[in-house]
Amino acid sequence: MSKKDTIPVRVFLPEEKNPKFYYNLMADMPNRPAPYLHPATKQPVGVSDLMGVFVKDLAEQELSSERYIEIPKEVQEYYRMYRPSPLHRAYQLEKALDTPARIYYKYEGQNTSGSHKLNSAIPQVFYNKIAGVKSLTTETGAGQWGTAVAIAANFFGLPLDVFMVKCSAQQKPHRKAVIETYGANVVPSPSNITESGRKILSEDPECGGSLGIAISEAMEAAMGRENTRYVLGSVLNHVILHQSIIGQEAMEQLQMVDEYPDIVIGCAGGGSNLGGMIAPFVRENLAGRASSRIIAVEPSACPSLTRGVFAYDYADAACICPIAKMYTLGHGFVPASIHAGGLRYHGMSPIVSQLYNDKLIEARSEPQTRVFEAGMLFAKTEALLPAPESAHAILAAIDEAKRCKETGEEKVIVFLLSGHGYFDLGAYQNYMSGNAVDAQYSDEMLKSGLDSLPAA
Ligand SMILES: *Cc1c(COP(=O)(O)O)cnc(C)c1O
């Protein structure tokens, strides 16, 4: 029998194969991300400066060039409750597409956060706890990160305030309920409890919020309270480091069935699921041991890689965070309220940005109606309802599989299914009733967004 039909539907790694180390792609990148700059002085920041924002362990990881970093025992114990995550062979999707390609997906939705976000929430809360921090703040867009931190903060016994992008809080009331189940406090953002929130509301009382605004509010709230720290769920190097467990597991699972990907695909909002998934595959490419194509997929309404510029910009709307060199649409840009809330961020991880700039990965942007169409086909064939964010990756996998049908190539396509869509049913209903519109991203939007870039 050929590989066409002998591989198990789900490839499970035995528990003892759980990674013991995070893999740090920065150790192997030909060009490391440019240094962060201080928001006021515009001078490069080191670990001690970053410690104004993050606890020491996380600040060190942010700038580390060590290749493998040990996962703390307590964090490994927690991971064991829901990891390793399964790798699926998408037999039914392949059949529906009548493609000679073999399609695999790594599924990160099997925990209560519903996504990969818990992989970084656990170590971040853990490092804060052992550093003596007494309470945490964070932001959340679609709600997955807020849920993940709420779960981890409850586990390690830290109180938490979650600034949730207001339009998401309205679109997904049940997300708010899950976060509250874990004892965290949800604040719709922009709010009137921070300076940055009040400023935005005075200019636009109806503002539905954005990740950039929520980050500003959460940062400001943390800085104004004693022994309180802010944790961020994407974009940063240490987040991608934590997410490297996904790619490491996937590589082992593929080895178990004697496969290696021709194409690796992930959706990209701030770049953390993508960055974590691709890290070991990029390492193999760089070492000359493989030549996989690696594809980042973003929404047309927020196309930071495909339309943005590679420049220094603020990570947040109020310009309190360090300035990072990244692909950006400008920190003043507020993306349209598309349903893939987790992909509505003006910038992109410095690691992913640098890889893209160095042409080590590809990127494409897709309109949400095509994305939902792909998500629906996946739900019907694979019996799993994907998050709208993850459906971006599904769409690219489908497009590549269709290309294989035309050329007759038996490619191995692996994508990351970053989460489930059971809190996105309003979005699916909206799509099914024909009300999902493809928000346009215009040259004027780009121009006005880029006007907000700092002079570096
Ligand atoms: C948050 C989220 C994303 C986008 O964030 P990245 O940092 O780009 O991974 C994608 N998918 C899901 C399910 C998410 O929760």
Side-chain angles (χ1 to χ4, degrees), residues 114-117 144 233-235 267-274 342-343 387 389-390 418-419:
S115 78
H116 62 287
K117 299 286 198 316
Q144 287 95 327
S234 183
V235 182
C267 67
S272 75
N273 83 86
L274 175 84
L343 307 185
E389 292 89 351
S390 319
S418 52

Side-chain angles (χ1 to χ4, degrees), residues 6 54 75 132 144 172 187 272 275 319 372 377-378 408 411 428 445:
T6 55
F54 309 114
V75 174
Q144 287 95 327
K172 301 185 181 188
V187 185
S272 75
C319 313
F372 273 107
L377 176 63
F378 185 83
K411 286 191 178 157
Y428 276 94
M445 288 161 126

Side-chain angles (χ1 to χ4, degrees), residues 96-334:
L97 297 171
D98 189 26
T99 176
R102 297 194 289 282
I103 307 176
Y104 295 87
Y105 61 93
K106 175 86 168 154
Y107 181 44
E108 289 294 318
Q110 287 189 329
N111 65 77
T112 303
S113 85
S115 78
H116 62 287
K117 299 286 198 316
L118 193 56
N119 302 334
S120 185
I122 296 166
Q124 288 198 48
V125 174
F126 169 77
Y127 287 121
N128 274 279
K129 176 79 181 183
I130 60 169
V133 168
K134 295 297 179 223
S135 82
L136 295 171
T137 71
T138 194
E139 84 299 330
T140 196
Q144 287 95 327
W145 173 245
T147 310
V149 186
I151 295 171
N154 172 70
F155 188 79
F156 291 109
L158 288 180
L160 168 70
D161 278 334
V162 180
F163 289 84
M164 184 167 186
V165 175
K166 197 178 278 171
C167 65
S168 286
Q170 287 159 353
Q171 277 168 3
K172 301 185 181 188
H174 294 118
R175 268 283 173 207
K176 183 166 176 283
V178 177
I179 295 172
E180 287 167 349
T181 302
Y182 288 92
N185 177 41
V186 176
V187 185
S189 163
S191 78
N192 56 22
I193 66 168
T194 68
E195 192 63 40
S196 9
R198 284 190 293 273
K199 181 160 178 288
I200 303 269
L201 286 175
S202 72
E203 287 157 12
D204 177 9
E206 300 303 312
C207 179
S210 72
L211 265 180
I213 296 169
I215 292 173
S216 297
E217 290 208 83
M219 269 279 278
E220 187 189 321
M223 293 192 304
R225 292 178 205 167
E226 192 141 350
N227 233 331
T228 299
R229 291 293 181 139
Y230 161 68
V231 289
L232 177 63
S234 183
V235 182
L236 299 168
N237 304 337
H238 68 258
V239 181
I240 291 189
L241 175 76
H242 303 151
Q243 298 296 355
S244 69
I245 54 173
I246 303 175
Q248 294 186 77
E249 286 177 14
M251 187 167 273
E252 288 251 14
Q253 285 160 315
L254 287 163
Q255 272 167 12
M256 282 170 71
V257 294
D258 199 19
E259 291 274 43
Y260 198 86
D262 296 297
I263 304 175
V264 184
I265 301 168
C267 67
S272 75
N273 83 86
L274 175 84
M277 175 69 176
I278 69 177
F281 297 100
V282 172
R283 177 191 64 205
E284 295 305 295
N285 279 0
L286 287 171
R289 292 186 288 263
S291 52
S292 309
R293 281 176 61 204
I294 293 172
I295 306 173
V297 192
E298 56 185 14
S300 312
C302 192
S304 45
L305 285 173
T306 50
R307 298 281 299 277
V309 294
F310 190 42
Y312 270 109
D313 194 11
Y314 295 96
D316 66 313
C319 313
I320 344 180
C321 295
I323 314 176
K325 186 155 185 207
M326 58 183 177
Y327 277 87
T328 178
L329 300 167
H331 63 274
F333 174 61
V334 178

